[in-house]
Amino acid sequence: MDLVRRLTGALTSTLDNPAIPWKSLIITFALSEYALETYLSYRQYKVLQRTTVPPQLKHEIDQKTFDKSQAYGRAKAKFGFVSGVWGQIKNYIVIQYNAYPYLWALTGTWLLKYASPRFQGEITHSLLFAFTYSFAETLLGLPFSYYHHFVLEEKYGFNKQTLSLWLTDLAKGQALSLAFGIPLGAAFLKIIQATGEQFFFWIWLFTLSVQLGAITIYPIVIVPLFNKLTPLEPGPLKDKVEGLAQRLEFPLAELQVIDGSKRSAHSNAYFTGLPWKKKIVIYDTLIEKSSVPEVEAILAHELGHWKMGHTTSLLAISSAHLFWVFGLFSVFINNNSLYQAFGFQVERPIIIGFILFNEVLSPTDSVIKLLMNIWTRKMEFEADAFSYKLGYASELASSLIKLQIQNLSSMDADWMYSSYHFSHPILTERLKAVGWTSDRKVSSDTKPAAGEKKGAGELKEHKEL
């Protein structure tokens, strides 16, 4: 422990150096990451300009559907480019022109003017700062959110929201951020203040407990605020899903349908809950557009993740990453040169230190993202293999193809782009792994390998609010 303290102290002293151009470094980091992602997006855009259906899908995807999928992908890419440019401009202005100290001073003035003395400490000031900044971000993002839902998604038939529902969701989101953010944010800051140099261990335990609590709270408190959940009606689908859960010893407590069509035509499903009591929720759009065997095959794939401990492993990796992040934050929390570079000459607010630390840490995010995607793609292949061994090879392949068509997901991808961005392998890779050929046959002697972001129709376990 003494060795750790000495190493931490030496690193802290080395990094607390006025000669380090923190502001220039952070701007350079941000622009470099943006340049990389823009280059990868350009490579993917070239793929989205192709006019020929991939050979592996020539009998499954007609030309009209393929063209529409490509057009949808290009439209999302263009939208991402514009929103990305705006994000970089906004980030540059915030950093270069010292928006943080300005907003900190402004919110401090509000507290002095309108709050009683008991609410003028650092924690209250930090919470007001955070929510003012978050609210400003939300306002600035409204035009992009509106365009995404009511122009882009509307054009391709996915948006089912009304303007009233969209505004209501925004209001509920802001209310929830206050309801949960105030006590959690206050506890976060109080733990750091109270535990001194060893705060990173205690703040890690606190964050871990919040993650675990969220698994319980999300389906009970959050989901019903936005959607209606109803028990899955008795019938073949319910019998098959319950039979599959019993076969795999999955602790199924509830099986429900969510009105996903209320907002979008995309298909989805998820499971959540405590280790001994879980709930499966299937979107009505998935039930409407898929056969019973196909839904069963999708669930077999996802329950494979549970059976092989993938969800637990992801939670463990996430916890280890958080421990590393908070440990590094302990090196930066009192870095005077970093605070001063951003206009904080006297005060050193904890929340500002954490924000600036994350800006410094951003280059590692790209590396971690790439490594995590490599690992999760492997798990996806393993889950496909699990479904394959249960006898769902044809059903899984057909469901993946059908979901790809229904959601107009990209049929192909540039290898560099997919390696960086996709936590799942692309469709053609997954079909090959289960022995699917373009004549709609599954090769009996093909063994699945040991996996685009989580498929829109695939089950995902919620771990966060």
Side-chain angles (χ1 to χ4, degrees):
M1 183 61 71
D2 288 339
L3 177 61
V4 173
R5 288 196 186 99
R6 287 198 297 270
L7 289 174
T8 301
L11 185 58
T12 301
S13 299
T14 301
L15 293 175
D16 191 359
N17 185 347
I20 298 177
W22 289 112
K23 187 175 289 188
S24 297
L25 283 175
I26 288 174
I27 291 175
T28 301
F29 291 159
L31 291 177
S32 298
E33 185 176 5
Y34 175 71
L36 170 63
E37 295 191 357
T38 301
Y39 170 69
L40 295 177
S41 296
Y42 168 76
R43 291 178 62 100
Q44 176 64 5
Y45 194 82
K46 299 294 287 185
V47 173
L48 294 171
Q49 290 180 313
R50 294 173 183 171
T51 58
T52 305
V53 180
Q56 302 93 328
L57 300 172
K58 62 183 180 181
H59 292 159
E60 287 74 36
I61 309 294
D62 61 72
Q63 189 65 46
K64 182 179 179 181
T65 301
F66 178 74
D67 291 343
K68 188 175 182 181
S69 169
Q70 292 288 85
Y72 181 51
R74 291 194 299 272
K76 290 193 294 182
K78 292 175 182 176
F79 173 76
F81 175 75
V82 173
S83 59
V85 170
W86 166 240
Q88 288 301 308
I89 293 173
K90 181 177 62 178
N91 188 57
Y92 179 81
I93 292 173
V94 167
I95 293 174
Q96 186 63 33
Y97 296 100
N98 290 335
Y100 292 138
Y102 172 79
L103 184 59
W104 181 261
L106 179 63
T107 49
T109 300
W110 291 346
L111 284 177
L112 288 173
K113 188 174 181 179
Y114 299 109
S116 64
R118 61 178 297 196
F119 293 114
Q120 293 179 10
E122 182 183 343
I123 291 179
T124 306
H125 192 174
S126 297
L127 294 174
L128 180 59
F129 169 87
F131 286 108
T132 302
Y133 185 82
S134 175
F135 184 69
E137 285 270 283
T138 300
L139 289 179
L140 291 172
L142 286 180
F144 292 95
S145 177
Y146 179 89
Y147 181 89
H148 176 262
H149 290 292
F150 295 101
V151 178
L152 196 159
E153 294 287 288
E154 185 81 26
K155 180 179 179 180
Y156 291 92
F158 290 119
N159 180 54
K160 301 300 178 184
Q161 291 188 90
T162 62
L163 181 60
S164 175
L165 180 59
W166 178 65
L167 292 172
T168 301
D169 283 351
L170 286 172
K172 288 180 179 178
Q174 290 296 308
L176 284 172
S177 69
L178 289 171
F180 287 97
I182 289 176
L184 293 177
F188 181 91
L189 295 169
K190 188 64 178 179
I191 290 171
I192 294 176
Q193 288 181 343
T195 54
E197 294 182 358
Q198 301 302 314
F199 78 86
F200 68 90
F201 176 75
W202 300 105
I203 207 67
W204 172 73
L205 287 179
F206 170 73
T207 305
L208 181 60
S209 67
V210 169
Q211 283 186 321
L212 295 175
I215 296 174
T216 304
I217 293 173
Y218 183 87
I220 298 173
V221 178
I222 306 301
V223 173
L225 293 175
F226 295 89
N227 292 93
K228 181 180 179 181
L229 293 162
T230 56
L232 179 63
E233 295 181 357
L237 179 58
K238 184 176 182 180
D239 293 339
K240 288 290 186 180
V241 174
E242 290 179 340
L244 177 64
Q246 185 175 12
R247 179 182 175 187
L248 299 177
E249 299 180 337
F250 179 76
L252 179 62
E254 294 180 86
L255 183 54
Q256 296 183 315
V257 178
I258 189 170
D259 59 342
S261 58
K262 180 180 179 181
R263 290 178 175 80
S264 173
H266 290 294
S267 300
N268 207 343
Y270 63 86
F271 70 86
T272 186
L274 298 169
W276 57 88
K277 182 180 180 182
K278 292 188 177 292
K279 174 194 296 188
I280 290 178
V281 179
I282 308 174
Y283 277 54
D284 54 358
T285 48
L286 181 61
I287 295 174
E288 178 186 348
K289 297 175 181 179
S290 303
S291 67
V292 170
E294 288 169 343
V295 175
E296 188 180 1
I298 292 170
L299 296 179
H301 165 94
E302 292 300 332
L303 294 186
H305 283 307
W306 168 81
K307 193 71 173 179
M308 291 183 284
H310 290 165
T311 52
T312 302
S313 297
L314 286 172
L315 181 60
I317 291 295
S318 173
S319 298
H321 178 242
L322 281 174
F323 187 82
W324 177 68
V325 168
F326 291 137
L328 281 180
F329 179 44
S330 67
V331 173
F332 282 86
I333 191 169
N334 293 314
N335 190 314
N336 287 315
S337 64
L338 180 60
Y339 281 101
Q340 291 171 2
F342 284 84
F344 290 88
Q345 304 300 326
V346 178
E347 292 181 281
R348 293 185 304 185
I350 294 171
I351 192 170
I352 298 297
F354 192 65
I355 291 172
L356 298 180
F357 161 71
N358 276 281
E359 296 281 3
V360 174
L361 196 65
S362 64
T364 66
D365 292 342
S366 298
V367 177
I368 291 172
K369 180 179 179 180
L370 176 62
L371 294 175
M372 285 299 297
N373 283 343
I374 291 172
W375 190 45
T376 55
R377 277 196 294 272
K378 178 179 179 293
M379 290 194 296
E380 291 307 315
F381 278 123
E382 290 174 350
D384 282 348
F386 184 87
S387 183
Y388 175 97
K389 292 174 183 176
L390 289 177
Y392 295 107
S394 296
E395 293 83 0
L396 179 63
S398 63
S399 66
L400 291 173
I401 293 169
K402 184 176 290 187
L403 290 169
Q404 199 86 357
I405 294 172
Q406 292 168 358
N407 294 296
L408 293 181
S409 301
S410 298
M411 306 298 173
D412 205 354
D414 172 74
W415 72 271
M416 287 182 67
Y417 180 89
S418 63
S419 296
Y420 183 82
H421 284 288
F422 292 170
S423 62
H424 283 49
I426 61 175
L427 176 63
T428 52
E429 293 172 334
R430 299 181 73 173
L431 294 178
K432 181 179 179 181
V434 295
W436 180 269
T437 60
S438 61
D439 60 355
R440 294 180 178 271
K441 294 179 181 178
V442 176
S443 213
S444 60
D445 59 348
T446 301
K447 299 299 181 183
E452 167 179 50
K453 295 229 179 174
K454 188 141 295 274
E458 295 183 22
L459 209 62
K460 57 183 178 182
E461 176 152 14
H462 287 273
K463 302 181 181 66
E464 302 180 341
L465 292 175

